[in-house]
Amino acid sequence: MAPRKGEPGRFLYRELAAEFRAQIQSGALAPGALLPSEATLMEGRGFARSTVRQAFDLLKAEGLAASRQGKGVYVLDPKKLVRNAQKRLSREVWEAGRSIWSVDLEGRDPDVEVEVTPDGLAPDRVAAVLGADRVCRRRRVFSLDGRPLQLATSYLSAELAAEAGVDRENTGPGGTYARLAEVGRRPVEATERLRARIAMPDEAEALALGAGASVILIERIVRDEAGRALEVNEMTLDAAKYIVEYDFTL
């Protein structure tokens, strides 16, 4: 947007976004609260429609607001989720029957939508890692307080998934890794590769992201004590909601 006439460099949408950002971060606007409508801001404060929309788009891209069809733009919890791979994949977590997701959420459990294909053709890249042409595919959408945060698709060989009993929606306490350990294929090693990019249209829709929002892509390969690949997991995270943390011993 062009600066206001006579005031070079002033972008009103940034100022409006900053005003709401400060209220959200201070708690003056609580999670779930509706922001003023476009009409209210246009009529009451004289903003152009494009100014209001750009301000709202900026807040959405920062993970501070989201849209509800027919209801307007509402405030999101500004607190970031800290994803620490070492802590969440710790053997102590899944051996205790906990979801590894609960580590990110400080003990809370997310709402999870699960779609399982017990036996299907493996994508080429997955087949090369697992050494299996037939795989069990587990697709999940993780949400917290009604907001989707992460998409995940994991692959295991169809034979191993059936043996471990993870070819169904509910894998029981401790999840997939606990079941693998029970059949003698205990996970002991994992490699994660991370990159970021702008969300594709289907990802933006699934994660309720605004235009131009970014996502974090993580691919994890988990191996057993013999070094054999057990799982390939491809995750898509809302970049505005996550801090990705790693611990190192030097």
Side-chain angles (χ1 to χ4, degrees):
M1 174 184 171
R4 176 181 286 178
K5 186 176 180 180
E7 299 179 74
R10 185 177 181 190
F11 290 85
L12 295 183
Y13 79 93
R14 293 180 183 173
E15 295 181 12
L16 182 58
E19 177 184 327
F20 287 131
R21 185 186 302 114
Q23 293 179 42
I24 293 169
Q25 292 175 339
S26 71
L29 281 172
L34 284 174
L35 295 179
S37 67
E38 288 183 9
T40 297
L41 292 169
M42 291 166 62
E43 295 171 8
R45 299 184 56 179
F47 288 112
R49 186 182 302 276
S50 60
T51 298
V52 177
R53 289 185 175 178
Q54 285 181 292
F56 286 170
D57 284 344
L58 187 54
L59 294 172
K60 293 174 188 176
E62 294 173 2
L64 297 175
S67 296
R68 278 201 187 106
Q69 187 67 31
K71 293 188 177 180
V73 179
Y74 66 100
V75 174
L76 297 176
D77 188 338
K79 184 178 180 182
K80 304 289 187 182
L81 299 174
V82 178
R83 183 190 187 278
N84 185 296
Q86 288 89 339
K87 291 177 182 177
R88 75 197 309 269
L89 294 177
S90 169
R91 177 179 173 183
E92 287 75 14
V93 171
W94 48 264
E95 280 195 339
R98 293 175 59 196
S99 160
I100 63 175
W101 240 81
S102 67
V103 177
D104 298 350
L105 305 180
E106 300 177 347
R108 294 178 294 169
D109 284 318
D111 296 319
V112 186
E113 297 178 23
V114 184
E115 176 189 330
V116 180
T117 303
D119 189 347
L121 187 63
D124 290 344
R125 68 188 184 286
V126 173
V129 174
L130 295 180
D133 293 327
R134 308 295 300 183
V135 292
C136 171
R137 182 183 64 202
R138 300 179 56 82
R139 287 181 172 168
R140 287 146 293 164
V141 179
F142 297 92
S143 302
L144 186 67
D145 299 327
R147 175 165 173 75
L149 299 172
Q150 177 181 321
L151 313 175
T153 301
S154 59
Y155 301 89
L156 300 91
S157 79
E159 181 180 356
L160 177 59
E163 179 186 359
V166 297
D167 55 348
R168 62 198 70 174
E169 289 189 11
N170 187 351
T171 55
T176 295
Y177 298 160
R179 304 291 80 73
L180 290 171
E182 290 169 354
V183 296
R185 301 292 300 276
R186 182 167 64 88
V188 300
E189 179 183 274
T191 301
E192 288 194 346
R193 302 181 67 185
L194 179 153
R195 62 191 177 96
R197 60 163 168 74
I198 299 299
M200 302 297 287
D202 59 330
E203 296 166 339
E205 181 179 1
L207 291 171
L209 302 177
S214 298
V215 291
I216 300 170
L217 305 178
I218 300 176
E219 179 191 68
R220 180 170 69 233
I221 299 174
V222 176
R223 302 176 181 85
D224 64 12
E225 294 172 303
R228 296 171 294 183
L230 298 170
E231 177 198 43
V232 176
N233 196 336
E234 299 171 340
M235 293 156 277
T236 304
L237 287 64
D238 178 354
K241 294 301 295 181
Y242 276 90
I243 296 172
V244 179
E245 176 182 82
Y246 292 93
D247 294 323
F248 299 92
T249 300
L250 305 180

